Amino acid sequence: PKTLYDYDRIMKAVFSSWHTKAVTDMTKDVIERKHKKIGEESGPAYANLAMKFLRSLFNFAIGKYEDAKGQSFILENPVKRLSQTRAWYRVEKRRREIKSNDLQTWYETVSNLSNDSLKDYLILLLFTGLRKQEALKLEWDHVDLSNKTLTITDTKNRIPLTLPLPDFTFELLKKRNDSRDTDAQFVFPGQGKTSHLVEPREAVKKVRKLSNIEFSLHDLRRTFITNAESLDIPHYALKQLVNHKQGNDVTAGYVISDPERLRKPMERIETHLLRLCRKDTAKVINIK
């Protein structure tokens, strides 16, 4: 959904004057000038995003539209000019996370939110590393309290993810389950047409203001991953926990993803985070 939103926004905001132009009129020079202009007016990151979208459109058109002889109407993707001339803007990847020394303040601030759904949503993101939409759309049908797991069926890479629930996250979801309406579909219900929580923007702003800690929802995922990595969680286990593709790693293709094999790593991460957030004294047990 976010990608579709970005594409639609770029078409309307950046390329609105090009809607009636023939793609064959969009030369390399035209593309290069447009990229530079967007960068000057809207910023380097947005300029790159717009051109990556345009590159995708050209690639699709090259493969889709042919003449009677089966030849593409477009001989070459003009956006390649930006790579050939190294004209892409250098944009540093965001690496922000909540520092270990700030986690207690952040956690206490979130715990004092009056809205239980927003409070539990933010805490679940930190303790599971789920993406924003994955947690927002989490359904009770995909939470197995008997086996202490949750499953995300609609993931970014289209690979379903089943996570084990250690004690703390299990109790959080169990408490929500005990108090929910019997016909509730979503773990974090909302009042709109989606029936689930859609945008916790105001809650994030409030926590930022009260805690004086800058963070985004995706920063909570980075915080989870950073803390997991600091515990020397095995590489394949960490990749599976956050549902990252294994790339061209041949060995990874033979590793079976079993939630029970991930339970011990998940328990270690949770214990570690609780020590930082609540100053719990339980020791983080090494995996033998």
Side-chain angles (χ1 to χ4, degrees):
K2 177 63 165 60
T3 303
L4 292 175
Y5 170 80
D6 286 339
Y7 284 0
D8 188 58
R9 179 169 57 112
I10 290 169
M11 279 296 292
K12 293 176 180 177
V14 179
F15 299 118
S16 59
S17 63
W18 287 14
H19 286 188
T20 57
K21 285 182 178 290
V23 291
T24 50
D25 292 336
M26 299 176 192
T27 65
K28 294 179 180 180
D29 288 338
V30 170
I31 297 296
E32 190 171 22
R33 289 195 298 269
K34 185 69 170 179
H35 180 240
K36 183 178 181 180
K37 183 179 180 182
I38 301 170
E40 292 171 348
E41 295 178 350
S42 303
Y46 193 61
N48 285 352
L49 177 64
M51 285 301 160
K52 287 177 181 178
F53 163 62
L54 189 63
R55 181 176 61 188
S56 296
L57 282 184
F58 271 106
N59 283 336
F60 177 84
I62 289 171
K64 179 71 173 179
Y65 303 114
E66 302 173 344
D67 59 22
K69 296 181 179 180
Q71 299 297 316
S72 174
F73 288 110
I74 308 168
L75 300 180
E76 186 180 16
N77 191 326
V79 184
K80 287 177 62 177
R81 163 72 68 83
L82 302 180
S83 297
Q84 293 166 339
T85 61
R86 300 192 177 189
W88 293 102
Y89 289 106
R90 293 180 62 86
V91 180
E92 291 296 324
K93 188 175 181 179
R94 182 178 291 179
R95 298 183 181 278
R96 188 175 61 186
E97 64 190 72
I98 300 178
K99 301 300 182 183
S100 295
N101 291 339
D102 291 332
L103 275 173
Q104 183 178 14
T105 300
W106 180 90
Y107 180 81
E108 290 176 350
T109 305
V110 172
S111 297
N112 287 325
L113 291 175
S114 58
N115 187 309
D116 286 339
S117 286
L118 292 170
K119 173 181 66 177
D120 291 345
Y121 171 74
L122 293 174
I123 291 174
L124 187 71
L125 284 187
L126 174 64
F127 279 83
T128 60
L130 291 176
R131 294 180 174 91
K132 170 185 173 181
Q133 291 295 330
E134 292 172 344
L136 287 174
K137 297 179 180 179
L138 180 62
E139 299 184 32
W140 282 115
D141 284 347
H142 299 146
V143 177
D144 186 345
L145 294 176
S146 298
N147 292 306
K148 294 187 175 183
T149 63
L150 66 79
T151 299
I152 306 298
T153 58
D154 185 14
T155 65
K156 183 177 180 180
N157 62 15
R158 298 294 183 260
I159 300 174
L161 169 68
T162 298
L163 288 177
L165 296 172
D167 291 344
F168 175 74
T169 45
F170 169 76
E171 290 298 330
L172 182 150
L173 291 172
K174 183 177 183 299
K175 182 179 178 181
R176 292 194 63 78
N177 181 62
D178 291 342
S179 61
R180 72 180 173 109
D181 295 335
T182 55
D183 59 345
Q185 177 183 0
F186 295 99
V187 174
F188 302 106
Q191 301 299 318
K193 61 181 181 180
T194 65
S195 298
H196 63 71
L197 189 64
V198 174
E199 183 53 70
R201 186 179 293 113
E202 291 305 316
V204 171
K205 287 182 180 179
K206 185 173 182 178
V207 175
R208 284 175 184 162
K209 182 178 179 180
L210 294 176
S211 67
N212 199 30
I213 297 171
E214 283 295 319
F215 76 98
S216 69
L217 296 177
H218 202 70
D219 292 341
L220 300 180
R221 178 173 169 84
R222 290 193 192 92
T223 303
F224 174 89
I225 295 173
T226 300
N227 280 278
E229 195 278 332
S230 73
L231 298 173
D232 294 325
I233 299 296
H235 173 74
Y236 291 124
L238 181 55
K239 283 251 183 181
Q240 290 173 4
L241 284 172
V242 296
N243 208 26
H244 278 169
K245 285 187 176 180
Q246 303 290 351
N248 296 321
D249 190 331
V250 177
T251 304
Y254 291 89
V255 177
I256 304 300
S257 179
D258 178 3
E260 290 309 311
R261 293 184 65 182
L262 299 176
R263 191 169 296 278
K264 285 295 183 183
M266 200 67 169
E267 288 174 349
R268 291 190 70 211
I269 298 167
E270 181 176 279
T271 300
H272 177 69
L273 288 172
L274 287 173
R275 286 171 61 88
L276 296 173
C277 290
R278 304 191 315 194
K279 301 303 177 184
D280 286 14
T281 57
K283 292 184 179 180
V284 179
I285 306 300
N286 289 327
I287 301 175
K288 295 182 180 181

